[in-house]
Amino acid sequence: MTFQSRINDLVLHSKVKGGKEQDLQNELDDLQYPYKMAYAGALDSLQNKKYTSEQEFRRLNTKYQRLQPLAHKVYVDFGRSHANSYLGLDIIYRNRGRIGKDTLKTIYKNLDAELKQSSNAVALQVFLYEEYAEVGKRFIDFRAKDLEGNDFTLSSLEGKYIYLNFWSSGCEPCRMENKVISKNYNKIPDKLAIVNFSLDKNASAWDKASKADSIIWHNVSDLEGGKGRVKTIYGVQAMPTSFLIDENGIIVKRFYGFDTSGRIIDDLIKIIEEKV
């Protein structure tokens, strides 16, 4: 493999050579390049306040909001047209929520035998053919381990409200939420259990982050990372993603991202009190 780039803007201007999959990546980069150049420039101007009027600010913001989805559509379409490759399959899996299940089943069925053994294909199979967690349905039980190696099942908390939070040590918003929960832990009522499910594959990184964030509640993992079965059946594509499960085991709410107001515990208590 060879890599060549100027020191600035490595992502936009790098040239890499290294086999069939890299050739596909280069082809995708070329297709996305005009869009990325345009919206990256607009984003840079917005972030660094390189505008001189409110009108110019709105123009730049509109440009960014319009072009970024177009670049992503090129990305997804490329994955669909090159599904029988590791790159294409990775794109398909990352965007599985945007593609109809009938289309995904056809893609999976037509994968080469070698690709069907890959972690992305195995995770896609779980997504397509196993039970899937959704609001309004009963939670899906799983078995995991805590940092001391003790077994844990979600069903062991049945009868309580459960806040199930998917996170990782490298996710800054996740870490911020951990610290908010830790700071407000004394507010949590007995009928509410907090469960952190780490998507780390590295137990040491998980342990270090857990201690730094003062996690004293249920803290478990399967150490399978982003391609794990539990992550897949709960449809987690970005972190943090969380679920509130009621005392009857029904998923009543799904949360995307971290609420910067820092009111997550108060909000959970309010939801619970309204249901009681």
Side-chain angles (χ1 to χ4, degrees):
M1 176 177 283
T2 62
F3 176 86
Q4 180 180 357
S5 177
R6 65 192 197 192
I7 195 66
N8 293 326
D9 298 324
L10 291 175
V11 174
L12 290 175
H13 300 291
S14 60
K15 299 294 182 183
V16 186
K17 295 181 180 180
K20 178 182 175 181
E21 291 290 327
Q22 185 58 53
D23 288 344
L24 286 175
Q25 182 65 62
N26 293 341
E27 183 180 345
L28 172 59
D29 290 343
D30 288 342
L31 291 171
Q32 287 187 294
Y33 183 80
Y35 299 99
K36 284 187 173 181
M37 281 294 292
Y39 80 69
L43 181 61
D44 178 69
S45 296
L46 289 168
Q47 289 178 329
N48 294 290
K49 298 183 178 180
K50 298 177 181 178
Y51 47 84
T52 57
S53 67
E54 181 67 21
Q55 183 179 11
E56 186 179 5
F57 168 80
R58 289 197 298 269
R59 181 185 63 79
L60 288 167
N61 190 55
T62 299
K63 182 178 181 181
Y64 174 74
Q65 295 295 335
R66 180 175 60 86
L67 289 172
Q68 200 278 337
L70 290 175
H72 191 74
K73 184 179 185 303
V74 170
Y75 173 72
V76 175
D77 288 348
F78 187 87
R80 291 178 62 171
S81 61
H82 296 82
N84 239 321
S85 67
Y86 286 96
L87 173 62
L89 181 57
D90 185 66
I91 294 171
I92 292 296
Y93 179 74
R94 290 174 184 272
N95 293 275
R96 60 196 181 279
R98 298 169 178 261
I99 304 170
K101 280 201 170 182
D102 286 344
T103 300
L104 289 172
K105 287 179 179 179
T106 299
I107 289 171
Y108 177 78
K109 180 181 178 181
N110 292 324
L111 289 176
D112 291 342
E114 179 183 343
L115 272 176
K116 279 191 176 178
Q117 303 303 312
S118 68
S119 58
N120 270 332
V122 172
L124 184 60
Q125 181 186 35
V126 171
F127 174 75
L128 289 172
Y129 299 106
E130 294 194 25
E131 192 177 8
Y132 195 63
E134 296 182 75
V135 171
K137 293 185 177 180
R138 182 174 171 77
F139 74 83
I140 302 176
D141 200 14
F142 58 78
R143 183 176 297 275
K145 290 186 181 293
D146 64 19
L147 281 163
E148 286 70 47
N150 300 310
D151 285 334
F152 170 88
T153 58
L154 196 60
S155 56
S156 66
L157 299 174
E158 194 160 1
K160 289 191 171 190
Y161 281 84
I162 304 168
Y163 182 66
L164 174 61
N165 174 31
F166 289 88
W167 73 293
S168 78
S169 62
C171 167
E172 190 57 35
C174 304
R175 306 290 300 278
M176 292 169 65
E177 181 166 11
N178 288 344
K179 292 178 174 69
V180 166
I181 293 174
S182 178
K183 183 178 179 181
N184 294 277
Y185 191 73
N186 62 337
K187 293 182 180 181
I188 298 174
D190 290 340
K191 58 187 171 185
L192 173 62
I194 309 293
V195 179
N196 268 33
F197 192 102
S198 170
L199 297 180
D200 287 292
K201 293 189 74 171
N202 185 311
S204 177
W206 169 32
D207 184 27
K208 184 177 179 180
S210 299
K211 290 174 179 174
D213 296 350
S214 301
I215 298 177
I216 58 174
W217 51 93
H218 299 285
N219 183 24
V220 302
S221 181
D222 56 11
L223 291 178
E224 293 183 13
K227 307 290 170 45
R229 177 181 176 275
V230 177
K231 171 187 179 289
T232 302
I233 60 177
Y234 275 86
V236 178
Q237 291 187 272
M239 294 180 286
T241 292
S242 308
F243 299 83
L244 180 61
I245 302 165
D246 72 12
E247 75 276 29
N248 298 311
I250 303 301
I251 300 171
V252 295
K253 190 173 179 63
R254 179 179 179 131
F255 301 83
Y256 297 92
F258 168 60
D259 181 359
T260 55
S261 72
R263 289 180 47 84
I264 183 61
I265 297 301
D266 291 335
D267 290 345
L268 290 173
I269 292 172
K270 182 179 179 181
I271 295 170
I272 292 170
E273 288 177 344
E274 288 175 350
K275 286 183 62 65
V276 173

PDB file of all heavy atoms in Angstrom, residues 181-212:
ATOM      1  N   ILE A 181     -25.063  11.485  34.967  1.00  0.00           N
ATOM      2  CA  ILE A 181     -25.765  10.468  35.761  1.00  0.00           C
ATOM      3  C   ILE A 181     -25.067  10.281  37.104  1.00  0.00           C
ATOM      4  O   ILE A 181     -25.725  10.206  38.155  1.00  0.00           O
ATOM      5  CB  ILE A 181     -25.853   9.140  34.995  1.00  0.00           C
ATOM      6  CG1 ILE A 181     -26.756   9.300  33.768  1.00  0.00           C
ATOM      7  CG2 ILE A 181     -26.392   8.029  35.901  1.00  0.00           C
ATOM      8  CD1 ILE A 181     -26.799   8.080  32.867  1.00  0.00           C
ATOM      9  N   SER A 182     -23.746  10.221  37.088  1.00  0.00           N
ATOM     10  CA  SER A 182     -22.991  10.059  38.333  1.00  0.00           C
ATOM     11  C   SER A 182     -23.252  11.214  39.298  1.00  0.00           C
ATOM     12  O   SER A 182     -23.469  11.013  40.502  1.00  0.00           O
ATOM     13  CB  SER A 182     -21.492   9.961  38.029  1.00  0.00           C
ATOM     14  OG  SER A 182     -20.741   9.850  39.220  1.00  0.00           O
ATOM     15  N   LYS A 183     -23.253  12.422  38.764  1.00  0.00           N
ATOM     16  CA  LYS A 183     -23.470  13.618  39.584  1.00  0.00           C
ATOM     17  C   LYS A 183     -24.864  13.630  40.203  1.00  0.00           C
ATOM     18  O   LYS A 183     -25.065  14.153  41.311  1.00  0.00           O
ATOM     19  CB  LYS A 183     -23.265  14.868  38.725  1.00  0.00           C
ATOM     20  CG  LYS A 183     -23.383  16.173  39.483  1.00  0.00           C
ATOM     21  CD  LYS A 183     -23.114  17.355  38.559  1.00  0.00           C
ATOM     22  CE  LYS A 183     -23.254  18.675  39.312  1.00  0.00           C
ATOM     23  NZ  LYS A 183     -23.006  19.837  38.405  1.00  0.00           N
ATOM     24  N   ASN A 184     -25.839  13.052  39.490  1.00  0.00           N
ATOM     25  CA  ASN A 184     -27.229  13.079  39.948  1.00  0.00           C
ATOM     26  C   ASN A 184     -27.718  11.711  40.427  1.00  0.00           C
ATOM     27  O   ASN A 184     -28.929  11.489  40.532  1.00  0.00           O
ATOM     28  CB  ASN A 184     -28.126  13.570  38.809  1.00  0.00           C
ATOM     29  CG  ASN A 184     -27.857  15.007  38.424  1.00  0.00           C
ATOM     30  OD1 ASN A 184     -28.360  15.926  39.051  1.00  0.00           O
ATOM     31  ND2 ASN A 184     -27.049  15.202  37.392  1.00  0.00           N
ATOM     32  N   TYR A 185     -26.788  10.826  40.728  1.00  0.00           N
ATOM     33  CA  TYR A 185     -27.157   9.450  41.051  1.00  0.00           C
ATOM     34  C   TYR A 185     -28.048   9.353  42.287  1.00  0.00           C
ATOM     35  O   TYR A 185     -28.914   8.485  42.378  1.00  0.00           O
ATOM     36  CB  TYR A 185     -25.902   8.596  41.243  1.00  0.00           C
ATOM     37  CG  TYR A 185     -26.194   7.123  41.317  1.00  0.00           C
ATOM     38  CD1 TYR A 185     -26.556   6.415  40.165  1.00  0.00           C
ATOM     39  CD2 TYR A 185     -26.128   6.437  42.526  1.00  0.00           C
ATOM     40  CE1 TYR A 185     -26.846   5.068  40.219  1.00  0.00           C
ATOM     41  CE2 TYR A 185     -26.419   5.081  42.591  1.00  0.00           C
ATOM     42  CZ  TYR A 185     -26.777   4.401  41.439  1.00  0.00           C
ATOM     43  OH  TYR A 185     -27.076   3.059  41.498  1.00  0.00           O
ATOM     44  N   ASN A 186     -27.855  10.265  43.222  1.00  0.00           N
ATOM     45  CA  ASN A 186     -28.659  10.224  44.456  1.00  0.00           C
ATOM     46  C   ASN A 186     -30.127  10.560  44.216  1.00  0.00           C
ATOM     47  O   ASN A 186     -30.975  10.324  45.070  1.00  0.00           O
ATOM     48  CB  ASN A 186     -28.080  11.178  45.504  1.00  0.00           C
ATOM     49  CG  ASN A 186     -28.098  12.635  45.060  1.00  0.00           C
ATOM     50  OD1 ASN A 186     -28.138  12.924  43.862  1.00  0.00           O
ATOM     51  ND2 ASN A 186     -28.072  13.543  46.009  1.00  0.00           N
ATOM     52  N   LYS A 187     -30.457  11.094  43.027  1.00  0.00           N
ATOM     53  CA  LYS A 187     -31.852  11.409  42.685  1.00  0.00           C
ATOM     54  C   LYS A 187     -32.614  10.187  42.167  1.00  0.00           C
ATOM     55  O   LYS A 187     -33.845  10.204  42.098  1.00  0.00           O
ATOM     56  CB  LYS A 187     -31.910  12.477  41.588  1.00  0.00           C
ATOM     57  CG  LYS A 187     -31.405  13.854  41.984  1.00  0.00           C
ATOM     58  CD  LYS A 187     -31.600  14.793  40.783  1.00  0.00           C
ATOM     59  CE  LYS A 187     -31.124  16.192  41.066  1.00  0.00           C
ATOM     60  NZ  LYS A 187     -31.345  17.079  39.885  1.00  0.00           N
ATOM     61  N   ILE A 188     -31.875   9.152  41.775  1.00  0.00           N
ATOM     62  CA  ILE A 188     -32.510   8.024  41.091  1.00  0.00           C
ATOM     63  C   ILE A 188     -33.377   7.227  42.068  1.00  0.00           C
ATOM     64  O   ILE A 188     -32.870   6.741  43.091  1.00  0.00           O
ATOM     65  CB  ILE A 188     -31.443   7.108  40.459  1.00  0.00           C
ATOM     66  CG1 ILE A 188     -30.639   7.892  39.412  1.00  0.00           C
ATOM     67  CG2 ILE A 188     -32.089   5.886  39.819  1.00  0.00           C
ATOM     68  CD1 ILE A 188     -29.472   7.132  38.839  1.00  0.00           C
ATOM     69  N   PRO A 189     -34.661   7.076  41.785  1.00  0.00           N
ATOM     70  CA  PRO A 189     -35.538   6.312  42.686  1.00  0.00           C
ATOM     71  C   PRO A 189     -35.242   4.819  42.616  1.00  0.00           C
ATOM     72  O   PRO A 189     -34.681   4.326  41.631  1.00  0.00           O
ATOM     73  CB  PRO A 189     -36.941   6.627  42.159  1.00  0.00           C
ATOM     74  CG  PRO A 189     -36.737   6.965  40.717  1.00  0.00           C
ATOM     75  CD  PRO A 189     -35.391   7.631  40.630  1.00  0.00           C
ATOM     76  N   ASP A 190     -35.638   4.091  43.653  1.00  0.00           N
ATOM     77  CA  ASP A 190     -35.376   2.648  43.709  1.00  0.00           C
ATOM     78  C   ASP A 190     -36.015   1.893  42.556  1.00  0.00           C
ATOM     79  O   ASP A 190     -35.523   0.835  42.150  1.00  0.00           O
ATOM     80  CB  ASP A 190     -35.885   2.081  45.035  1.00  0.00           C
ATOM     81  CG  ASP A 190     -35.051   2.536  46.231  1.00  0.00           C
ATOM     82  OD1 ASP A 190     -33.891   2.960  46.007  1.00  0.00           O
ATOM     83  OD2 ASP A 190     -35.558   2.489  47.370  1.00  0.00           O
ATOM     84  N   LYS A 191     -37.116   2.434  42.025  1.00  0.00           N
ATOM     85  CA  LYS A 191     -37.817   1.714  40.953  1.00  0.00           C
ATOM     86  C   LYS A 191     -37.178   1.915  39.580  1.00  0.00           C
ATOM     87  O   LYS A 191     -37.664   1.365  38.588  1.00  0.00           O
ATOM     88  CB  LYS A 191     -39.278   2.147  40.906  1.00  0.00           C
ATOM     89  CG  LYS A 191     -39.501   3.632  40.693  1.00  0.00           C
ATOM     90  CD  LYS A 191     -40.981   3.965  40.848  1.00  0.00           C
ATOM     91  CE  LYS A 191     -41.213   5.472  40.858  1.00  0.00           C
ATOM     92  NZ  LYS A 191     -42.617   5.804  41.118  1.00  0.00           N
ATOM     93  N   LEU A 192     -36.088   2.674  39.521  1.00  0.00           N
ATOM     94  CA  LEU A 192     -35.379   2.896  38.252  1.00  0.00           C
ATOM     95  C   LEU A 192     -33.962   2.334  38.329  1.00  0.00           C
ATOM     96  O   LEU A 192     -33.191   2.691  39.230  1.00  0.00           O
ATOM     97  CB  LEU A 192     -35.313   4.392  37.932  1.00  0.00           C
ATOM     98  CG  LEU A 192     -34.459   4.801  36.719  1.00  0.00           C
ATOM     99  CD1 LEU A 192     -35.006   4.181  35.432  1.00  0.00           C
ATOM    100  CD2 LEU A 192     -34.390   6.323  36.599  1.00  0.00           C
ATOM    101  N   ALA A 193     -33.622   1.445  37.400  1.00  0.00           N
ATOM    102  CA  ALA A 193     -32.269   0.884  37.310  1.00  0.00           C
ATOM    103  C   ALA A 193     -31.575   1.439  36.069  1.00  0.00           C
ATOM    104  O   ALA A 193     -32.184   1.534  35.003  1.00  0.00           O
ATOM    105  CB  ALA A 193     -32.317  -0.637  37.242  1.00  0.00           C
ATOM    106  N   ILE A 194     -30.320   1.812  36.218  1.00  0.00           N
ATOM    107  CA  ILE A 194     -29.519   2.289  35.089  1.00  0.00           C
ATOM    108  C   ILE A 194     -28.605   1.162  34.631  1.00  0.00           C
ATOM    109  O   ILE A 194     -27.924   0.527  35.451  1.00  0.00           O
ATOM    110  CB  ILE A 194     -28.657   3.506  35.485  1.00  0.00           C
ATOM    111  CG1 ILE A 194     -29.510   4.576  36.169  1.00  0.00           C
ATOM    112  CG2 ILE A 194     -27.942   4.063  34.258  1.00  0.00           C
ATOM    113  CD1 ILE A 194     -30.530   5.236  35.278  1.00  0.00           C
ATOM    114  N   VAL A 195     -28.578   0.916  33.337  1.00  0.00           N
ATOM    115  CA  VAL A 195     -27.701  -0.114  32.773  1.00  0.00           C
ATOM    116  C   VAL A 195     -26.887   0.496  31.644  1.00  0.00           C
ATOM    117  O   VAL A 195     -27.443   0.937  30.639  1.00  0.00           O
ATOM    118  CB  VAL A 195     -28.495  -1.318  32.236  1.00  0.00           C
ATOM    119  CG1 VAL A 195     -27.544  -2.356  31.639  1.00  0.00           C
ATOM    120  CG2 VAL A 195     -29.350  -1.941  33.326  1.00  0.00           C
ATOM    121  N   ASN A 196     -25.585   0.526  31.816  1.00  0.00           N
ATOM    122  CA  ASN A 196     -24.691   0.936  30.737  1.00  0.00           C
ATOM    123  C   ASN A 196     -24.205  -0.309  30.011  1.00  0.00           C
ATOM    124  O   ASN A 196     -23.689  -1.237  30.644  1.00  0.00           O
ATOM    125  CB  ASN A 196     -23.481   1.690  31.294  1.00  0.00           C
ATOM    126  CG  ASN A 196     -23.716   3.189  31.348  1.00  0.00           C
ATOM    127  OD1 ASN A 196     -24.826   3.632  31.563  1.00  0.00           O
ATOM    128  ND2 ASN A 196     -22.653   3.960  31.181  1.00  0.00           N
ATOM    129  N   PHE A 197     -24.374  -0.317  28.678  1.00  0.00           N
ATOM    130  CA  PHE A 197     -23.857  -1.421  27.864  1.00  0.00           C
ATOM    131  C   PHE A 197     -22.727  -0.869  27.010  1.00  0.00           C
ATOM    132  O   PHE A 197     -22.950  -0.088  26.083  1.00  0.00           O
ATOM    133  CB  PHE A 197     -24.948  -2.020  26.982  1.00  0.00           C
ATOM    134  CG  PHE A 197     -24.556  -3.318  26.337  1.00  0.00           C
ATOM    135  CD1 PHE A 197     -25.010  -4.522  26.843  1.00  0.00           C
ATOM    136  CD2 PHE A 197     -23.715  -3.338  25.232  1.00  0.00           C
ATOM    137  CE1 PHE A 197     -24.637  -5.728  26.241  1.00  0.00           C
ATOM    138  CE2 PHE A 197     -23.336  -4.529  24.631  1.00  0.00           C
ATOM    139  CZ  PHE A 197     -23.794  -5.724  25.145  1.00  0.00           C
ATOM    140  N   SER A 198     -21.495  -1.265  27.326  1.00  0.00           N
ATOM    141  CA  SER A 198     -20.334  -0.757  26.605  1.00  0.00           C
ATOM    142  C   SER A 198     -20.154  -1.463  25.266  1.00  0.00           C
ATOM    143  O   SER A 198     -20.241  -2.688  25.184  1.00  0.00           O
ATOM    144  CB  SER A 198     -19.068  -0.942  27.451  1.00  0.00           C
ATOM    145  OG  SER A 198     -17.921  -0.666  26.676  1.00  0.00           O
ATOM    146  N   LEU A 199     -19.893  -0.658  24.229  1.00  0.00           N
ATOM    147  CA  LEU A 199     -19.602  -1.213  22.911  1.00  0.00           C
ATOM    148  C   LEU A 199     -18.106  -1.265  22.639  1.00  0.00           C
ATOM    149  O   LEU A 199     -17.670  -1.391  21.497  1.00  0.00           O
ATOM    150  CB  LEU A 199     -20.318  -0.395  21.834  1.00  0.00           C
ATOM    151  CG  LEU A 199     -21.843  -0.416  21.926  1.00  0.00           C
ATOM    152  CD1 LEU A 199     -22.462   0.427  20.818  1.00  0.00           C
ATOM    153  CD2 LEU A 199     -22.375  -1.841  21.865  1.00  0.00           C
ATOM    154  N   ASP A 200     -17.313  -1.167  23.697  1.00  0.00           N
ATOM    155  CA  ASP A 200     -15.868  -1.334  23.564  1.00  0.00           C
ATOM    156  C   ASP A 200     -15.523  -2.797  23.306  1.00  0.00           C
ATOM    157  O   ASP A 200     -16.192  -3.704  23.807  1.00  0.00           O
ATOM    158  CB  ASP A 200     -15.156  -0.885  24.849  1.00  0.00           C
ATOM    159  CG  ASP A 200     -15.152   0.618  25.014  1.00  0.00           C
ATOM    160  OD1 ASP A 200     -14.481   1.285  24.217  1.00  0.00           O
ATOM    161  OD2 ASP A 200     -15.813   1.122  25.936  1.00  0.00           O
ATOM    162  N   LYS A 201     -14.461  -3.020  22.550  1.00  0.00           N
ATOM    163  CA  LYS A 201     -13.901  -4.361  22.410  1.00  0.00           C
ATOM    164  C   LYS A 201     -12.717  -4.540  23.338  1.00  0.00           C
ATOM    165  O   LYS A 201     -12.308  -5.662  23.633  1.00  0.00           O
ATOM    166  CB  LYS A 201     -13.459  -4.618  20.962  1.00  0.00           C
ATOM    167  CG  LYS A 201     -14.609  -4.670  19.967  1.00  0.00           C
ATOM    168  CD  LYS A 201     -14.155  -5.129  18.594  1.00  0.00           C
ATOM    169  CE  LYS A 201     -13.861  -6.623  18.579  1.00  0.00           C
ATOM    170  NZ  LYS A 201     -13.623  -7.123  17.206  1.00  0.00           N
ATOM    171  N   ASN A 202     -12.172  -3.421  23.785  1.00  0.00           N
ATOM    172  CA  ASN A 202     -10.997  -3.433  24.656  1.00  0.00           C
ATOM    173  C   ASN A 202     -11.447  -3.286  26.107  1.00  0.00           C
ATOM    174  O   ASN A 202     -11.926  -2.232  26.519  1.00  0.00           O
ATOM    175  CB  ASN A 202     -10.066  -2.277  24.264  1.00  0.00           C
ATOM    176  CG  ASN A 202      -8.759  -2.287  25.035  1.00  0.00           C
ATOM    177  OD1 ASN A 202      -8.754  -2.400  26.251  1.00  0.00           O
ATOM    178  ND2 ASN A 202      -7.659  -2.160  24.322  1.00  0.00           N
ATOM    179  N   ALA A 203     -11.309  -4.348  26.891  1.00  0.00           N
ATOM    180  CA  ALA A 203     -11.769  -4.334  28.278  1.00  0.00           C
ATOM    181  C   ALA A 203     -11.027  -3.304  29.113  1.00  0.00           C
ATOM    182  O   ALA A 203     -11.604  -2.695  30.017  1.00  0.00           O
ATOM    183  CB  ALA A 203     -11.605  -5.727  28.896  1.00  0.00           C
ATOM    184  N   SER A 204      -9.761  -3.084  28.803  1.00  0.00           N
ATOM    185  CA  SER A 204      -8.970  -2.116  29.561  1.00  0.00           C
ATOM    186  C   SER A 204      -9.489  -0.693  29.349  1.00  0.00           C
ATOM    187  O   SER A 204      -9.609   0.094  30.296  1.00  0.00           O
ATOM    188  CB  SER A 204      -7.495  -2.208  29.148  1.00  0.00           C
ATOM    189  OG  SER A 204      -6.729  -1.232  29.824  1.00  0.00           O
ATOM    190  N   ALA A 205      -9.819  -0.356  28.096  1.00  0.00           N
ATOM    191  CA  ALA A 205     -10.362   0.974  27.801  1.00  0.00           C
ATOM    192  C   ALA A 205     -11.719   1.165  28.471  1.00  0.00           C
ATOM    193  O   ALA A 205     -12.015   2.247  29.003  1.00  0.00           O
ATOM    194  CB  ALA A 205     -10.486   1.159  26.291  1.00  0.00           C
ATOM    195  N   TRP A 206     -12.540   0.127  28.437  1.00  0.00           N
ATOM    196  CA  TRP A 206     -13.854   0.160  29.091  1.00  0.00           C
ATOM    197  C   TRP A 206     -13.690   0.388  30.596  1.00  0.00           C
ATOM    198  O   TRP A 206     -14.352   1.246  31.188  1.00  0.00           O
ATOM    199  CB  TRP A 206     -14.574  -1.150  28.788  1.00  0.00           C
ATOM    200  CG  TRP A 206     -15.826  -1.423  29.566  1.00  0.00           C
ATOM    201  CD1 TRP A 206     -16.733  -0.507  30.033  1.00  0.00           C
ATOM    202  CD2 TRP A 206     -16.313  -2.716  29.960  1.00  0.00           C
ATOM    203  NE1 TRP A 206     -17.751  -1.151  30.697  1.00  0.00           N
ATOM    204  CE2 TRP A 206     -17.525  -2.500  30.658  1.00  0.00           C
ATOM    205  CE3 TRP A 206     -15.852  -4.020  29.769  1.00  0.00           C
ATOM    206  CZ2 TRP A 206     -18.271  -3.561  31.192  1.00  0.00           C
ATOM    207  CZ3 TRP A 206     -16.604  -5.069  30.279  1.00  0.00           C
ATOM    208  CH2 TRP A 206     -17.795  -4.842  30.986  1.00  0.00           C
ATOM    209  N   ASP A 207     -12.783  -0.370  31.213  1.00  0.00           N
ATOM    210  CA  ASP A 207     -12.534  -0.266  32.649  1.00  0.00           C
ATOM    211  C   ASP A 207     -12.036   1.131  33.024  1.00  0.00           C
ATOM    212  O   ASP A 207     -12.525   1.758  33.979  1.00  0.00           O
ATOM    213  CB  ASP A 207     -11.505  -1.324  33.047  1.00  0.00           C
ATOM    214  CG  ASP A 207     -11.257  -1.368  34.547  1.00  0.00           C
ATOM    215  OD1 ASP A 207     -12.162  -0.997  35.312  1.00  0.00           O
ATOM    216  OD2 ASP A 207     -10.155  -1.762  34.952  1.00  0.00           O
ATOM    217  N   LYS A 208     -11.069   1.633  32.285  1.00  0.00           N
ATOM    218  CA  LYS A 208     -10.487   2.952  32.575  1.00  0.00           C
ATOM    219  C   LYS A 208     -11.540   4.053  32.482  1.00  0.00           C
ATOM    220  O   LYS A 208     -11.619   4.931  33.359  1.00  0.00           O
ATOM    221  CB  LYS A 208      -9.338   3.237  31.604  1.00  0.00           C
ATOM    222  CG  LYS A 208      -8.602   4.540  31.870  1.00  0.00           C
ATOM    223  CD  LYS A 208      -7.438   4.715  30.898  1.00  0.00           C
ATOM    224  CE  LYS A 208      -6.721   6.041  31.142  1.00  0.00           C
ATOM    225  NZ  LYS A 208      -5.585   6.219  30.184  1.00  0.00           N
ATOM    226  N   ALA A 209     -12.353   4.019  31.426  1.00  0.00           N
ATOM    227  CA  ALA A 209     -13.389   5.040  31.244  1.00  0.00           C
ATOM    228  C   ALA A 209     -14.452   4.936  32.342  1.00  0.00           C
ATOM    229  O   ALA A 209     -14.950   5.957  32.837  1.00  0.00           O
ATOM    230  CB  ALA A 209     -14.031   4.891  29.873  1.00  0.00           C
ATOM    231  N   SER A 210     -14.800   3.712  32.716  1.00  0.00           N
ATOM    232  CA  SER A 210     -15.816   3.508  33.750  1.00  0.00           C
ATOM    233  C   SER A 210     -15.378   4.106  35.082  1.00  0.00           C
ATOM    234  O   SER A 210     -16.173   4.744  35.782  1.00  0.00           O
ATOM    235  CB  SER A 210     -16.098   2.011  33.927  1.00  0.00           C
ATOM    236  OG  SER A 210     -16.594   1.446  32.731  1.00  0.00           O
ATOM    237  N   LYS A 211     -14.107   3.913  35.417  1.00  0.00           N
ATOM    238  CA  LYS A 211     -13.584   4.477  36.661  1.00  0.00           C
ATOM    239  C   LYS A 211     -13.509   5.998  36.584  1.00  0.00           C
ATOM    240  O   LYS A 211     -13.848   6.703  37.546  1.00  0.00           O
ATOM    241  CB  LYS A 211     -12.214   3.885  36.962  1.00  0.00           C
ATOM    242  CG  LYS A 211     -12.277   2.415  37.361  1.00  0.00           C
ATOM    243  CD  LYS A 211     -10.886   1.807  37.517  1.00  0.00           C
ATOM    244  CE  LYS A 211     -10.990   0.340  37.936  1.00  0.00           C
ATOM    245  NZ  LYS A 211      -9.654  -0.324  37.960  1.00  0.00           N
ATOM    246  N   ALA A 212     -13.073   6.508  35.444  1.00  0.00           N
ATOM    247  CA  ALA A 212     -12.961   7.962  35.275  1.00  0.00           C
ATOM    248  C   ALA A 212     -14.325   8.638  35.358  1.00  0.00           C
ATOM    249  O   ALA A 212     -14.427   9.785  35.837  1.00  0.00           O
ATOM    250  CB  ALA A 212     -12.299   8.280  33.942  1.00  0.00           C
TER     251      ALA A 212
END
